[in-house]
Amino acid sequence: METNYYTSASRTSLEVIKLMRVYQWPKNFFVFLPLFFSGKILALENCQKVLWVFLAYCLVASSVYIINDLFDIKSDKKHPEKRFRPIASGAISIPYAIILCVALLSFSITIALSQFNILILSFLLGYFLLNILYSLKLKKIAIVDVMIIAIGFILRVFVGGVSIDTVLSKWLVLMTFLLALFLGFAKRRDDLLILEEKGKVMRASLNGYSLSFVNHSMVFISSIIVVCYFMYSISEEVMQRLGNEYFYITSFFVVAGMLRYFQITYVENNSGSPSKILLTDEFTIINLMLWGLVVSYFIYF
């Protein structure tokens, strides 16, 4: 009897983790970008501030995921993968999901008010409200849906900068927006492939997309990303701050990363979850680590 209880509790815990989409939390590492690129990461106080922001953002993001799942129960049940989500599958009840959502949002607000100020809270609530609008209406409008996702990433970067009182580079903001936009189109591409192969419409906004349009958009956006990074790496601002004119070398890793993502997208047809690619694709992991090491060398040594 006791064994059955612990087994049931363990299963419930796993379903809660799935419901919170903890595997999506790496997206919130964008709050660390201002800390990393400003050269302040070695200051313990700054690290602690951004860690609190990261936790607050993870909690509010999980509450948003739960709300989105509550809105999408019917469509998720028809999806080949999303039908296994905790609410759609019936593993987590709707009342339990609502209670968990309120608790996560409350904890996030508490962190913002206890560790920071009303400005940080405004960013968190702005992100939350934007995603509620997304779940209710905006995700059904083609182009607007991926733009909203990209704005969410910009808010992450802004809140990371505000938490340590750092002025953000315009290049950093632009690249964050474009990269998020690129990944958003990559996810729409996967949904279009499912529509072609199985005849199932995964998103209401798919009526405004075609495979050709998405493919061209991804190439267009990726080109701008690479150019922006080139411009950032050779800008006077960066060379003066680092005292080094060779930061452009880090661009090689950016190009390699983009090419690998295109390979995953067009050759392997597996671009649906950027977070899973980031955690499981060996080439991407190694390339990102090397990029981080080289950039760290230029900034901190």
Side-chain angles (χ1 to χ4, degrees):
M1 188 74 175
E2 186 175 348
T3 303
N4 291 335
Y5 171 78
Y6 284 115
T7 301
S8 177
S10 177
R11 287 176 180 172
T12 301
S13 298
L14 288 174
E15 292 298 330
V16 168
I17 291 173
K18 286 172 60 179
L19 180 63
M20 292 173 61
R21 303 210 203 148
V22 174
Y23 73 90
Q24 295 277 15
W25 284 7
K27 292 179 180 179
N28 298 317
F29 279 114
F30 273 81
V31 302
F32 286 94
L33 288 183
L35 175 65
F36 178 67
F37 282 101
S38 67
K40 298 179 179 180
I41 201 169
L42 298 178
L44 182 60
E45 182 182 357
N46 288 328
C47 289
Q48 289 176 337
K49 288 180 178 179
V50 181
L51 279 171
W52 278 116
V53 167
F54 173 76
L55 177 59
Y57 235 100
C58 287
L59 296 177
V60 74
S62 288
S63 70
V64 167
Y65 289 135
I66 294 173
I67 291 173
N68 188 63
D69 284 358
L70 288 169
F71 284 133
D72 290 347
I73 294 176
K74 291 183 179 179
S75 60
D76 283 353
K77 287 181 179 180
K78 300 175 183 178
H79 195 282
E81 294 181 5
K82 295 179 181 180
R83 62 192 176 94
F84 296 111
R85 286 179 175 176
I87 299 177
S89 66
I92 296 291
S93 67
I94 293 177
Y96 186 96
I98 294 173
I99 293 171
L100 180 60
C101 176
V102 172
L104 292 172
L105 182 60
S106 299
F107 283 133
S108 179
I109 292 173
T110 300
I111 290 173
L113 291 177
S114 62
Q115 298 297 324
F116 299 102
N117 51 44
I118 196 69
L119 183 58
I120 296 293
L121 177 61
S122 298
F123 275 108
L124 288 171
L125 292 181
Y127 173 82
F128 179 79
L129 293 174
L130 182 67
N131 280 275
I132 295 300
L133 291 174
Y134 173 83
S135 296
L136 287 173
K137 180 67 178 179
L138 298 180
K139 69 179 180 180
K140 299 176 183 179
I141 306 173
I143 299 180
V144 172
D145 58 340
V146 290
M147 294 284 284
I148 295 299
I149 293 171
I151 291 172
F153 279 89
I154 291 178
L155 288 176
R156 289 175 172 92
V157 173
F158 269 112
V159 78
V162 170
S163 68
I164 57 171
D165 195 25
T166 293
V167 178
L168 295 176
S169 165
K170 58 182 178 294
W171 295 111
L172 183 61
V173 175
L174 279 172
M175 286 185 288
T176 299
F177 175 75
L178 291 167
L179 180 60
L181 203 60
F182 174 82
L183 297 177
F185 274 105
K187 293 191 72 173
R188 297 302 175 271
R189 187 177 188 278
D190 261 27
D191 289 334
L192 286 169
L193 291 176
I194 292 174
L195 176 61
E196 284 190 355
E197 293 172 6
K198 302 182 179 181
K200 294 183 178 179
V201 179
M202 298 297 105
R203 300 176 188 270
S205 65
L206 287 185
N207 290 329
Y209 293 107
S210 71
L211 203 55
S212 176
F213 169 67
V214 170
N215 289 342
H216 283 84
S217 296
M218 290 178 65
V219 172
F220 169 67
I221 295 169
S222 64
S223 300
I224 302 176
I225 292 172
V226 172
V227 170
C228 278
Y229 194 90
F230 283 161
M231 296 299 291
Y232 169 72
S233 66
I234 63 174
S235 66
E236 290 292 331
E237 168 197 348
V238 170
M239 288 192 287
Q240 288 179 7
R241 180 162 56 86
L242 300 181
N244 193 306
E245 61 183 55
Y246 298 107
F247 187 77
Y248 69 87
I249 292 173
T250 61
S251 302
F252 302 157
F253 299 105
V254 175
V255 173
M258 296 303 297
L259 289 174
R260 173 54 184 158
Y261 203 90
F262 273 119
Q263 184 182 43
I264 293 172
T265 300
Y266 295 119
V267 179
E268 301 176 12
N269 288 324
N270 187 30
S271 58
S273 177
S275 298
K276 289 181 180 178
I277 291 172
L278 183 63
L279 296 172
T280 60
D281 183 65
E282 291 184 5
F283 185 101
T284 301
I285 293 171
I286 293 172
N287 185 66
L288 189 60
M289 289 177 63
L290 289 173
W291 173 82
L293 287 171
V294 176
V295 171
S296 298
Y297 171 78
F298 281 114
I299 295 177
Y300 294 98
F301 297 98

